[in-house]
Amino acid sequence: MTDISSVARLSEPLKFAYWVPNVSGGLVVSTIEQRTGWDFDYNKKLARIAEDSGFEYALTQTRYAASYGADKQHEATSFSLGLLAATERLKVIAAVHPGMWHPGVLAKYLITADHISNGRAAVNIVSGWLKAEFENFGLEWLEHDERYVRTEEFIRVLRGLLTEKNFSQSGKYYNINDFTLQPAPVDVPGRAHPEIFFGGNSTAAQATAGRVADWYFSNGKDLEGFKENIAGVVAAAGEALRGTEGALPSPRFGLNGFVIARDSEKEARDTLREIVEKAHKPAVEGFRAAVQEAGASTKDGKGMWADSSFEDLVQYNDGFKTQLIGTPEQIAERIVEYKKIGVNLFLTGYLHFQEEVAAFGQDILPIVRELEADLARKNGVELDLSQTPAANAGTASKLVNA
């Protein structure tokens, strides 16, 4: 059994998100059947299914050029805005790259999206790994650790413009002089501003997250691997005095996981085996060469994908490593083991998004809630479900079959 970490929030229910499939080819680089579309109509229906299945968030991918077999891509911020307009409760996180956006322009977009959605807009800051994307756009490509220097400055400017009047900041990459954005974001109880997510595995990424991010996202990891990441973020947050009076709240933790839920563990494992056996080898190898060059370029060699195998990279965010594979009961138990080490949110992917997101809400989420409640009671607290969206399995099922 997993020991309970000091950063675990046992009274708070886990949150669930899904990857928006706004790029072609699905979430695995394989010729296995994926009943998943990348067009807006498919995604609009998926978003409605998700919010009726107990999901709180969706993350829209950012990609401008073909890679890992995804030949076509929709732009993340505009796609996110469309999904926000099509839903009532779902929070949609748009991924963006510093170096392709100015933080002031992003802040203005984010505020507008926040008003259109009545306070449901969020952003994921991605430092970038695809060198060709930047260079072919004629944009400056920074080396690994320097990208995180720019990212941290970017997030500080973004938060400042979202929360302060007459904001100024002088830095290496951005200089803001006495600037006020009006209107301000929507006033949402318990939220200081639209949430700022940030991801990365390297030491530099963990330190940046610890100092400035609301949420730290990681690629898929086993329990011990993510414990290590959490420790790095927590150490940086402690040095920044986060969680103390007058400072930013402590960061929260999100983890990627690819879900294969079947009636038996054997069936689930057979599905994983088929995904890997049918991998598009040239696409996976091309992706592997690009990302492992990026991971190896870190000072300590601990960058994103640095230790990923061919099998891991068939799901291009290492989602198999989290091992959300088996029966609904096994997956729920695995999820709660991660809660014990400090995970607050799972970012999930699927072969067949509409059907499997609905099935997650119907078959897995109720078991997770039971296990969470039991874990909380055994540790002297109660699970507070008052602010958590309840899954409406009947509505979700009707949408899937519509």
Side-chain angles (χ1 to χ4, degrees):
M1 294 294 289
T2 305
D3 292 334
I4 297 173
S5 166
S6 61
V7 301
R9 302 173 187 241
L10 300 186
S11 65
E12 296 183 12
L14 285 163
K15 299 177 185 294
F16 293 93
Y18 70 92
W19 284 100
V20 175
N22 59 303
V23 302
S24 62
L27 264 284
V28 295
V29 189
S30 174
T31 59
I32 193 171
E33 181 188 16
Q34 297 185 72
R35 294 189 296 276
T36 291
W38 64 282
D39 59 282
F40 184 68
D41 284 343
Y42 178 92
N43 273 282
K44 180 168 63 175
K45 182 177 176 180
L46 171 59
R48 291 170 176 168
I49 290 168
E51 70 176 2
D52 280 326
S53 298
F55 285 73
E56 290 190 51
Y57 295 90
L59 173 62
T60 307
Q61 304 172 67
T62 182
R63 190 86 288 128
Y64 294 90
S67 61
Y68 50 74
D71 295 330
K72 303 178 183 67
Q73 318 83 30
H74 285 301
E75 193 276 325
T77 59
S78 48
F79 210 80
S80 296
L81 190 56
L83 294 179
L84 285 168
T87 53
E88 297 178 355
R89 302 177 303 282
L90 192 70
K91 300 167 190 172
V92 184
I93 311 161
V96 300
H97 291 303
M100 293 190 180
W101 282 77
H102 186 281
V105 175
L106 179 62
K108 193 65 174 175
Y109 157 80
L110 199 53
I111 291 170
T112 300
D114 208 43
H115 280 265
I116 289 172
S117 64
N118 195 28
R120 294 183 288 121
V123 67
N124 183 39
I125 308 301
V126 184
S127 294
W129 57 266
L130 188 54
K131 184 176 181 180
E133 235 173 23
F134 282 77
E135 291 188 336
N136 292 346
F137 271 157
L139 298 171
E140 182 181 17
W141 175 252
L142 303 177
E143 290 309 310
H144 181 275
D145 285 10
E146 190 63 23
R147 294 201 296 276
Y148 287 95
V149 172
R150 178 174 64 187
T151 293
E152 181 167 343
E153 198 174 310
F154 185 100
I155 292 174
R156 290 185 186 277
V157 172
L158 177 63
R159 180 179 282 110
L161 289 169
L162 290 173
T163 60
E164 299 179 30
K165 294 181 178 179
N166 308 114
F167 176 75
S168 295
Q169 180 172 309
S170 179
K172 184 175 181 179
Y173 292 100
Y174 306 104
N175 290 288
I176 311 298
N177 183 34
D178 193 27
F179 213 96
T180 301
L181 291 177
Q182 293 285 10
V186 175
D187 184 7
V188 176
R191 188 195 75 163
H193 51 74
E195 292 167 291
I196 299 172
F197 292 74
F198 164 80
N201 279 0
S202 66
T203 301
Q206 292 168 29
T208 299
R211 288 190 290 265
V212 295
D214 298 324
W215 286 88
Y216 170 71
F217 263 150
S218 171
N219 270 6
K221 288 275 186 181
D222 62 20
L223 283 159
E224 289 303 316
F226 200 49
K227 274 186 190 177
E228 193 176 313
N229 283 27
I230 289 173
V233 175
V234 168
E239 291 172 5
L241 302 179
R242 292 189 61 174
T244 62
E245 187 175 353
L248 292 173
S250 299
R252 295 176 187 244
F253 298 94
L255 179 65
N256 179 55
F258 194 84
V259 179
I260 306 176
R262 300 293 185 267
D263 291 336
S264 69
E265 182 178 7
K266 180 182 184 303
E267 188 179 354
R269 295 288 169 188
D270 286 347
T271 299
L272 174 60
R273 190 174 302 109
E274 184 183 0
I275 291 170
V276 175
E277 286 174 352
K278 294 182 176 179
H280 189 298
K281 289 183 173 59
V284 176
E285 290 293 359
F287 178 62
R288 185 182 196 178
V291 300
Q292 295 199 327
E293 177 186 9
S297 70
T298 63
K299 290 179 180 177
D300 55 10
K302 292 184 178 179
M304 198 96 77
W305 302 288
D307 61 351
S308 299
S309 67
F310 178 92
E311 177 178 315
D312 295 330
L313 293 172
V314 176
Q315 201 296 298
Y316 46 79
N317 287 104
D318 283 341
F320 302 148
K321 285 185 177 181
T322 309
Q323 289 292 301
L324 302 185
I325 300 165
T327 65
E329 292 80 8
Q330 289 173 318
I331 292 169
E333 289 167 0
R334 179 77 171 170
I335 284 170
V336 174
E337 290 300 297
Y338 276 101
K339 180 175 184 173
K340 292 178 185 178
I341 69 168
V343 173
N344 307 107
L345 179 152
F346 278 90
L347 174 59
T348 58
Y350 307 85
L351 280 180
H352 317 301
F353 266 80
Q354 290 181 358
E355 303 101 298
E356 292 187 310
V357 161
F360 187 97
Q362 178 175 314
D363 301 331
I364 298 173
L365 188 53
I367 304 173
V368 170
R369 296 300 185 222
E370 288 179 10
L371 294 173
E372 286 186 285
D374 185 56
L375 178 66
R377 281 192 298 271
K378 286 179 178 177
N379 287 274
V381 295
E382 290 295 322
L383 185 68
D384 181 9
L385 292 169
S386 61
Q387 302 300 315
T388 302
N392 187 335
T395 303
S397 179
K398 289 178 183 176
L399 284 167
V400 169
N401 296 318

